[in-house]
């Protein structure tokens, strides 16, 4: 019997295992194979100022997925350095979304866990002559910064002495100065070609209550400073970021190198004293292209605007591409993970057709969703050669491709509901369903013939009176008789009334925020993105648990709404159609 392998041996084995071969995973494999790292440590660091959206799914799947593939671990770290915009509601939402996607974090951390570390690191940079307190206003700082083609100018406060800077920064910490009146800046190079290195701000004064630390801090670190040092504190080996952070990488490395946490344990003893594990190391930032989908908005600000202006019914509205919205719509975590796998990882920005996401969800649901029958635009059909009150029970497979799903009983009666579009008085060319005098097969029953069409006072078709060919019933010789069409149905006496919400893409153009037609992006909200109809479902569908998904035969994939559905008042959301209907519109 072999002895259990060490984490390093497990990581080495994982490095040589088969799996995706994108450039990030290749870097990880090489780092493990050469012994640069004994284990892989990643993190997912969202800011809790909104709910996660489909774009975040790629970052989640990449950071958590790589850690899982290489037998490492991934932290969930909440970047809570911007109090006032952040909310515990969003913190809980982020945790729920990560778990829903199928991942669990090694540790839950917050940037605020390291506020004392950041402060001490800033004092070290000042003492080393690498940071100074600046009195320029935000507008003046922008003016001094220069442009992409012209170098910046040194602040008149850049040459303050170390002693004066230490004194001013400590007084900033003590809360002596007004919001925005002073800033701590790194002293790097105002002529640097990379504007991010032109003495970037490290700290600003903000007298705002923080959700974790209360009023303990009147100053807060800037993102670039906090992000780099948080990664270093946690021993992150591969810090995976989207491409917009590529120009920030030199500043990331500058902060890591100049503070040098591994060799300065006095800076982070407060973290150890608080009972958190500290394993400072030098992380490597690697950038990849973000997930951009057509017909989508992935700006948190614009998503918040949709909610605030009432264009949608909240962050979890099934029209939203927030993860909680997609979940309520009925999209599956497996379908989203499949999209991320198929899109792959590269450094090339591109826009992925929304249809690819829908197809990934369809593919998952085709295999995992049991079948049920429902009628969304009902037309009554009466089988006149069955006796009044006739009811029988028919057995139906729950999944035509997988016997493991078992079967169910479906009540069949003399009176049925069928889809109104399955009948045409004047059929269009190629119509293969029911017409006056014509025949069609009722799914699982037999062949019926339309003998009479009854209309209401307005001339609308109200009822079809048909006869059933008894010899065409299942198991009888006539069951093999050929007719052109097969339609589904629901037995009227046992049908359960259901609210069915027909959802579609929220925007009706591929790039809604391009605004290249001179119209605001909100003008492209699809008015057909939500329709509500009252339909009928078979009893087995009504008994669904919230979030249970089905294929309603011939209609699409549907989910029992996770908030509003009840067995005595069913509510179903359409997840996706059976086929891509948008391709035909193009």
């Amino acid at each position: 019997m072999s002895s259990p392998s060490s984490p390093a041996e497990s990581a080495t084995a994982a490095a040589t295992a088969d799996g995706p071969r994108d450039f990030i995973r290749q870097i990880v494999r090489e780092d493990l194979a050469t012994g640069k790292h004994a284990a892989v440590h990643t993190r997912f660091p969202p800011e809790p100022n909104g709910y996660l959206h489909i774009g975040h799914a790629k970052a989640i799947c990449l950071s958590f997925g790589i850690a899982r593939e290489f037998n490492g671990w991934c932290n969930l770290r909440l970047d809570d350095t911007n109090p006032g915009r952040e909310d515990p509601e969003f913190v809980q939402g982020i945790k729920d979304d990560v778990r829903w996607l199928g991942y669990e974090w090694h540790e839950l951390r917050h940037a605020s866990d390291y506020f004392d570390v950041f402060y001490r690191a800033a004092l070290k940079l000042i003492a080393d002559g690498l940071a100074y307190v600046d009195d320029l206003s935000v507008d003046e700082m922008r003016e001094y910064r220069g442009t992409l083609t012209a170098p910046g100018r040194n602040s008149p406060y850049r040459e303050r002495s170390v002693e004066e800077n230490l004194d001013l920064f400590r007084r900033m910490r003590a809360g002596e100065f007004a919001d925005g009146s002073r800033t701590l800046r790194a002293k790097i190079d105002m002529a640097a070609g990379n504007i991010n290195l032109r003495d970037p701000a490290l700290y600003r004064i903000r007298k705002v209550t923080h959700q974790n630390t209360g009023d303990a801090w009147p100053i807060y670190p800037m993102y670039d400073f906090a992000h780099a040092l948080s990664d270093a504190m946690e021993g992150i080996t591969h810090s995976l970021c989207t491409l917009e952070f590529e120009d920030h990488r030199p500043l990331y490395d500058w902060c890591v190198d100049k503070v040098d946490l591994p060799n300065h344990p006095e800076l982070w003893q407060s973290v150890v004293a608080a009972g958190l594990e500290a394993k400072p190391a030098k992380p490597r930032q690697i950038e990849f292209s973000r997930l951009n989908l057509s017909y989508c908005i992935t700006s948190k600000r614009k998503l918040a605007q949709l909610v605030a202006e009432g264009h949608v019914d909240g962050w979890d509205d099934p029209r939203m591409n927030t993860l909680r919205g997609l979940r309520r719509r009925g999209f599956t975590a497996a379908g989203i993970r499949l999209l991320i796998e198929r899109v792959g990882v590269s450094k090339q920005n591109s826009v992925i057709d929304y249809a690819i996401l829908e197809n990934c969800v369809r593919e998952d649901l085709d295999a995992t969703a049991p079948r049920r029958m429902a009628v969304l635009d009902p037309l009554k059909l009466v089988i006149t050669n069955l006796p009044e009150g006739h009811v029988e029970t028919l057995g139906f497979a729950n999944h035509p491709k997988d016997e493991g799903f078992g079967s169910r009983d479906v009540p069949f009666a003399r009176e049925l509901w069928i889809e109104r579009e399955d009948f045409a008085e004047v059929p269009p060319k190629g119509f293969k369903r029911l017409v006056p005098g014509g025949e069609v097969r009722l799914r699982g029953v037999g062949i019926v013939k339309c003998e009479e069409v009854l209309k209401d006072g307005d001339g609308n078709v109200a009822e079809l009176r048909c006869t059933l060919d008894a010899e065409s019933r299942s198991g009888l010789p006539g069951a093999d008789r050929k007719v052109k069409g097969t339609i589904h149905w629901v037995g009227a006496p046992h049908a359960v009334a259901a609210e069915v919400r027909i959802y579609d893409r929220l925007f009706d153009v591929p790039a809604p925020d391009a605004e290249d037609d001179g119209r605001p992006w909100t003008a492209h909200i699809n008015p057909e993105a939500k329709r509500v109809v009252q339909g009928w479902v078979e009893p087995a569908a009504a008994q669904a648990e919230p979030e249970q998904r089905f294929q309603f035969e011939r209609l699409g994939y549907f989910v029992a709404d996770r908030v509003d559905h009840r067995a005595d008042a069913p509510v179903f959301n359409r997840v996706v159609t059976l086929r891509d209907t948008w391709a035909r519109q193009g």
Side-chain angles (χ1 to χ4, degrees), residues 51 87-94 315 324:
Y51 287 101
D87 194 299
E89 175 188 342
F90 297 137
V91 171
Q92 187 58 48
I94 288 167
W315 286 93
R324 64 195 288 110

Side-chain angles (χ1 to χ4, degrees), residues 103-138:
Y103 300 103
E104 188 60 57
W105 46 89
H106 172 68
E107 283 189 285
L108 176 66
R109 294 289 181 101
H110 303 77
S112 56
D113 294 336
Y114 312 125
F115 276 176
D116 185 71
V117 178
F118 303 150
Y119 176 67
R120 292 173 185 272
L123 290 173
K124 176 183 181 298
L125 291 177
I126 295 171
D128 292 344
L130 296 173
Y132 62 97
V133 174
D134 194 4
D135 295 0
L136 291 180
S137 68
V138 171

Side-chain angles (χ1 to χ4, degrees), residues 144-312:
Y144 272 71
R145 196 181 190 195
T147 66
L148 291 172
T149 55
R153 293 177 290 140
N154 287 349
S155 165
Y157 306 99
R158 196 176 195 263
E159 299 308 321
R160 278 175 163 156
S161 69
V162 166
E163 292 72 20
E164 185 180 5
N165 283 317
L166 286 171
D167 174 65
L168 288 171
F169 187 58
R170 287 183 175 122
R171 290 165 65 192
M172 286 171 60
R173 166 70 181 95
E176 285 190 28
F177 307 122
D179 276 19
S181 60
R182 286 195 159 97
T183 307
L184 182 72
R185 298 178 67 180
K187 185 185 287 189
I188 306 180
D189 182 2
M190 289 302 295
N194 185 334
I195 286 184
N196 292 296
L197 296 179
R198 294 181 186 175
D199 290 10
L202 302 179
Y203 263 93
R204 79 280 201 204
I205 301 172
R206 285 202 71 203
K207 295 178 180 177
V208 178
T209 301
H210 189 280
Q211 64 269 21
N212 281 345
T213 60
D215 296 319
W217 293 90
I219 57 172
Y220 291 97
M222 303 301 289
Y223 176 81
D224 283 321
F225 188 56
H227 179 222
L229 296 188
S230 296
D231 282 351
M233 273 300 302
E234 293 172 22
I236 301 305
T237 56
H238 302 85
S239 177
L240 309 180
C241 302
T242 45
L243 279 177
E244 61 263 36
F245 292 100
E246 188 169 31
D247 288 344
H248 294 249
R249 194 194 325 144
L251 176 56
Y252 178 97
D253 291 339
W254 186 92
C255 292
V256 169
D257 291 341
K258 298 304 182 184
V259 172
D260 191 18
L261 287 171
N263 291 312
H264 291 276
E266 72 278 6
L267 301 179
W268 42 269
Q269 288 312 299
S270 60
V271 172
V272 177
L276 295 177
E277 184 181 20
K279 49 178 76 173
K282 182 174 180 177
R284 175 181 179 180
Q285 179 175 301
I286 306 170
E287 305 84 19
F288 61 93
S289 60
R290 63 187 300 166
L291 178 62
N292 297 305
L293 286 177
S294 62
Y295 297 93
C296 265
I297 292 285
T298 52
S299 155
K300 276 188 185 177
R301 178 181 59 80
K302 290 181 176 178
L303 290 170
Q305 184 179 338
L306 288 171
V307 174
E309 294 180 357
H311 298 292
V312 294

Side-chain angles (χ1 to χ4, degrees), residues 383 386-392 412-415 468 473 493-494:
I383 301 175
L386 291 178
E388 292 276 355
H390 175 88
V391 174
E392 60 183 284
F412 168 67
R414 183 175 184 266
E415 295 83 24
L468 172 65
R473 300 293 302 267
H494 304 90

Side-chain angles (χ1 to χ4, degrees), residues 311-313 316-320 325-326 328-331 354 358 362 376 499-506 526-533 555 557-561 564 571-577 581-582:
H311 298 292
V312 294
D313 299 327
D316 69 343
D317 187 303
R319 292 167 290 182
M320 292 276 273
L326 295 173
R328 189 169 178 187
R329 168 86 169 262
F331 280 34
Y354 196 81
E358 293 175 321
R362 274 191 200 98
L376 305 188
E499 178 179 314
V500 182
R501 300 164 181 172
I502 309 296
Y503 288 107
D504 208 336
R505 301 177 188 182
L506 181 55
N526 177 12
E528 298 297 314
K530 178 183 180 181
R531 290 189 299 114
V532 180
V533 300
L555 298 177
Y557 294 99
F558 291 77
V559 66
D561 187 83
D564 297 331
V571 178
F572 289 95
N573 303 329
R574 186 176 72 183
V575 186
V576 284
T577 53
T581 57
W582 285 72

